[in-house]
Amino acid sequence: MQSSNHRLRDMEQHHPLLSAGADVETGSLAAGVMVGGPHASHAAGNRTLWFIQDSCGMVCAGMTWFLVLYAEFVVNFVMLLPSKSFWYSLLNGATFNSLAVLALASHLRTMLTDPGAVPKGNATKEYMESLQLKPGEVIYKCPKCCSIKPERAHHCSICKRCIRKMDHHCPWVNNCVGEKNQRFFVLFTMYIALISAHALGLSGMHFFTCIKVQWNECSDFSPGVSVLLLIFLCLEAILFLTFTAVMFGTQIHSICNDETEIERLKNEKPTWERRMRWDGMKTVFGGPPSLLWCNPFTGLRLRRLLLLTHGRRSGSEFSV
């Protein structure tokens, strides 16, 4: 019977292992390699500001910010500031603007957080031999990014990396949703759904109030402009509320069942020990239930972030 090393040499004849840092774009399926364990280190991303340079994703992310800021403009300047009720304007303005800030912060954290990318080019013979593997252990090598694929990792053709526990690639956040940023994506969908529902409620109240009096007394804008702005806001809020509420429910369901969207669509049988319900929530959000679960600023180090912004560009993300 051949040893593990002999099997490795046979595999190399068909799938030669490249040196670290090489970027392979050929092939569509991960090649099974009998040379390693299922887990690989992730030290490469420790000093990286993650940002995917995808034109479609950047446009969609920019549109997301524009639509949220548009909603802020209409709510504040068309509905709340012209209101004759001081407390109505204050309470609703504080609530809506706070939720909008949390939504945009969650969007930034989702977009700029490494979703769990596997280091490129770590499937080298020297590295695999250093793992001191047992005979017969099976790992998988991705021929596209030449990396060892951990269990439950999938290759993203847009990020050009294998992502741990990849759920899906979302163009609206210009990033994959994976092991390390799923929490922020869930918060993003939740806060967008909340501000959309709040905007719909405020719009309904504004229409009801203005019907009783002259439109000129309800807003500093002309009646025609006010109506157009409110109609567009309502359409935007309905679409955003529907989309993000469904996505939020889907994400919570996936977390509670410890199953990503890709695994569900592919009907993959679990080979891992599932963390059900609260255990899954604790794993994603970190620690026991608390208000910190709803805080997108948790773990944010501004000094480190400012230092990373002075880095150089490299590949599909900024790095230093």
Side-chain angles (χ1 to χ4, degrees):
M1 183 177 178
Q2 282 186 318
S3 67
S4 176
N5 288 335
H6 287 157
R7 286 197 294 273
L8 168 59
R9 285 195 289 269
D10 291 340
M11 291 299 294
E12 284 184 279
Q13 293 176 5
H14 302 284
H15 302 284
L17 302 178
L18 305 184
S19 59
D23 185 10
V24 183
E25 294 298 336
T26 59
S28 57
L29 298 176
V33 186
M34 307 282 290
V35 292
H39 301 291
S41 64
H42 189 59
N46 289 340
R47 294 185 57 80
T48 299
L49 176 62
W50 184 270
F51 182 77
I52 301 302
Q53 298 181 36
D54 174 60
S55 56
C56 176
M58 289 187 286
V59 170
C60 289
M63 285 180 59
T64 302
W65 273 70
F66 170 78
L67 292 173
V68 172
L69 294 177
Y70 169 81
E72 286 230 68
F73 170 78
V74 177
V75 167
N76 288 315
F77 293 98
V78 178
M79 290 188 281
L80 296 183
L81 289 180
S83 175
K84 296 179 180 179
S85 174
F86 171 78
W87 290 108
Y88 176 83
S89 299
L90 180 63
L91 294 177
N92 281 288
T95 301
F96 186 86
N97 288 296
S98 297
L99 292 174
V101 169
L102 290 171
L104 293 177
S106 300
H107 183 272
L108 277 179
R109 293 301 300 275
T110 307
M111 182 170 61
L112 301 178
T113 299
D114 178 355
V118 179
K120 276 187 178 181
N122 66 348
T124 62
K125 179 178 178 180
E126 294 77 12
Y127 174 73
M128 293 182 186
E129 289 179 346
S130 70
L131 298 177
Q132 298 179 352
L133 304 164
K134 297 178 181 179
E137 278 193 82
V138 179
I139 63 166
Y140 291 91
K141 166 197 166 186
C142 176
K144 292 184 177 182
C145 57
C146 194
S147 63
I148 298 174
K149 288 187 70 172
E151 188 178 35
R152 306 185 69 183
H154 293 85
H155 185 87
C156 175
S157 58
I158 299 176
C159 295
K160 299 180 181 178
R161 301 286 286 273
C162 285
I163 308 296
R164 297 173 186 267
K165 289 184 67 175
M166 175 180 169
D167 188 84
H168 67 286
H169 185 96
C170 179
W172 297 104
V173 297
N174 189 32
N175 201 1
C176 276
V177 177
E179 184 178 63
K180 293 186 176 182
N181 68 346
Q182 186 176 26
R183 167 191 179 179
F184 303 120
F185 182 75
V186 172
L187 292 180
F188 168 67
T189 57
M190 181 182 74
Y191 287 127
I192 289 294
L194 288 176
I195 65 173
S196 298
H198 194 187
L200 278 176
L202 290 175
S203 298
M205 287 290 296
H206 192 73
F207 274 116
F208 181 77
T209 302
C210 291
I211 288 175
K212 295 182 177 181
V213 299
Q214 294 295 326
W215 275 93
N216 292 330
E217 299 178 11
C218 288
S219 175
D220 295 334
F221 296 87
S222 64
V225 173
S226 297
V227 170
L228 286 176
L229 291 174
L230 288 170
I231 289 176
F232 187 79
L233 176 64
C234 289
L235 293 175
E236 174 194 341
I238 291 172
L239 291 175
F240 268 53
L241 177 59
T242 304
F243 174 76
T244 54
V246 170
M247 186 60 69
F248 175 79
T250 302
Q251 289 294 303
I252 295 298
H253 180 269
S254 296
I255 293 171
C256 290
N257 288 279
D258 196 13
E259 182 181 46
T260 66
E261 187 66 16
I262 291 180
E263 292 163 351
R264 187 186 68 82
L265 292 175
K266 291 185 175 181
N267 198 23
E268 295 182 1
K269 295 182 179 180
T271 58
W272 59 92
E273 183 179 354
R274 281 187 166 181
R275 297 184 178 93
M276 303 301 288
R277 298 181 181 177
W278 281 113
D279 289 336
M281 295 290 287
K282 291 176 184 177
T283 301
V284 172
F285 288 90
S290 69
L291 290 177
L292 292 177
W293 280 17
C294 301
N295 182 11
F297 301 101
T298 301
L300 181 63
R301 299 177 181 178
L302 293 178
R303 182 180 178 185
R304 179 168 175 253
L305 182 63
L306 291 174
L307 289 174
L308 290 176
T309 55
H310 293 87
R312 58 182 176 82
R313 289 187 176 184
S314 177
S316 59
E317 69 269 359
F318 296 122
S319 65
V320 291

